[in-house]
Amino acid sequence: MSKELASKVALVTGGSRGIGAAIARALADDGADVAISYAASADKADSVVTELKQKGVRAAAFKADQANPKEVEALVKSVVARFGRIDILVNNAGVIVMGQVHDRANNLAEIERQFAINVGGVAAAVRAAAPLMGEGGRIISIGSVAGEQTPFPGAADYSATKGAVAAYTRGWARDLGPKGITVNNVQPGPIDTDMNPGNGELAAMQKKVTALGRYGKPEEVAAAVAFLASPSAAYITGATLNVDGGFNA
């Protein structure tokens, strides 16, 4: 069976669990060597790396705080030092902090860190990786359907970070198009992960507003990322793809 991404090297930030781990597995299934980053879950990251190596590819995990631009730059350099190149960057690491704008109980430090990770970390990774990529490079960010709408009170700051990722995607596609590097944005809807489990009252409400009436699986997001990383997506750039079961329909 042909491996479309054989000889390619991918970095998946936040790849130790959930959607990130599923993306790492999908890229490895297509033949890519895969590096993942993690902030605190070393054991989970090591487990994912072991699983990836069992697929016959090279794999490694690196600790990095996505809120720290210097650590993000060092992460990219470490991946290139270990693997010799970087062809695919998946900006998956992210956090969600809720809080209505008028609520004086908000933890502003957490809200600021959310921006630092969800926006600053993405920008830092792209700035570090893009100059090291050749023609055919792929940059794929994991946004959110919340980047297009704010479905619940208290989600404005999170929505703003994901809206910024979508805007960056369109701009970076223009910047990097002459280098033959594509830049795209995948926006998951309700996906069954430990950050947004598919049971409980909130889950029931989210399921009702999807066209398909269910939560998505991390593997369904990963499939979209794997496609955008493949040669078949060479003429797709500056695009946003919703993987949301019709949440934003």
Side-chain angles (χ1 to χ4, degrees), residues 25-95:
R25 295 184 192 104
L27 296 177
D29 284 339
D30 285 344
D33 296 325
V34 181
I36 64 172
S37 74
Y38 67 97
S41 305
D43 291 343
K44 290 182 179 180
D46 289 342
S47 178
V48 171
V49 166
T50 298
E51 186 178 351
L52 298 177
K53 288 180 176 178
Q54 291 172 348
K55 297 177 182 291
V57 303
R58 295 184 295 165
F62 300 88
K63 185 175 182 179
D65 181 357
Q66 290 298 129
N68 186 325
K70 291 184 178 179
E71 289 194 25
V72 175
E73 182 179 5
L75 166 66
V76 173
K77 289 180 177 178
S78 295
V79 171
V80 174
R82 173 73 68 89
F83 294 97
R85 59 191 294 161
I86 183 168
D87 304 286
I88 301 162
L89 170 64
V90 182
N91 294 302
N92 169 75
V95 297

Side-chain angles (χ1 to χ4, degrees), residues 73-153:
E73 182 179 5
L75 166 66
V76 173
K77 289 180 177 178
S78 295
V79 171
V80 174
R82 173 73 68 89
F83 294 97
R85 59 191 294 161
I86 183 168
D87 304 286
I88 301 162
L89 170 64
V90 182
N91 294 302
N92 169 75
V95 297
I96 180 168
V97 179
M98 300 292 286
Q100 296 187 40
V101 67
H102 60 282
D103 188 349
R104 293 184 180 275
N106 285 340
N107 186 328
L108 296 181
E110 286 187 356
I111 290 174
E112 290 171 0
R113 180 171 172 78
Q114 177 176 236
F115 269 88
I117 293 172
N118 293 7
V119 182
V122 173
V126 172
R127 289 179 179 128
L132 305 177
M133 287 183 171
E135 185 172 354
R138 299 283 192 266
I139 296 172
I140 304 160
S141 296
I142 305 303
S144 169
V145 290
E148 295 183 15
Q149 62 159 298
T150 307
F152 313 110

Side-chain angles (χ1 to χ4, degrees), residues 3-5 8 30 136 138 226-236:
K3 299 283 190 178
E4 286 191 311
L5 300 179
K8 303 293 185 183
D30 285 344
R138 299 283 192 266
F227 166 69
L228 290 172
S230 75
S232 299
Y235 200 58
I236 300 173

